Amino acid sequence: MGAAQGVAIWLSNKLYTLLTVAFIEMARAMLPLITLAALWLASLETPTLEHIKAVSLTGVGCAISAYGE
């Protein structure tokens, strides 16, 4: 178990050396959109129109930023 955890940490850190900081931050900013979609798909929560608008605006902004990357 300890070896598997060590390999997982090593691989995730290795991935971070290959990506730019800007791309990592943009991917992190997309987390609310992914979370909202996963909750809706799993039927755990029904988002309101205001939630959809706010999260979509965040996603569009991140997509525009990621286009330049």
Side-chain angles (χ1 to χ4, degrees):
M1 194 69 162
Q5 182 70 27
V7 169
I9 292 171
W10 178 74
L11 288 174
S12 64
N13 287 340
K14 184 67 174 166
L15 179 66
Y16 275 116
T17 63
L18 301 175
L19 299 174
T20 63
V21 173
F23 183 78
I24 293 167
E25 290 301 318
M26 286 181 270
R28 194 178 313 196
M30 293 290 281
L31 187 61
L33 181 63
I34 295 166
T35 304
L36 182 69
L39 287 172
W40 179 69
L41 288 173
S43 299
L44 295 174
E45 186 173 327
T46 304
T48 64
L49 185 59
E50 289 81 19
H51 286 133
I52 294 171
K53 285 182 193 178
V55 172
S56 296
L57 182 62
T58 303
V60 168
C62 290
I64 291 169
S65 297
Y67 179 73
E69 182 65 26

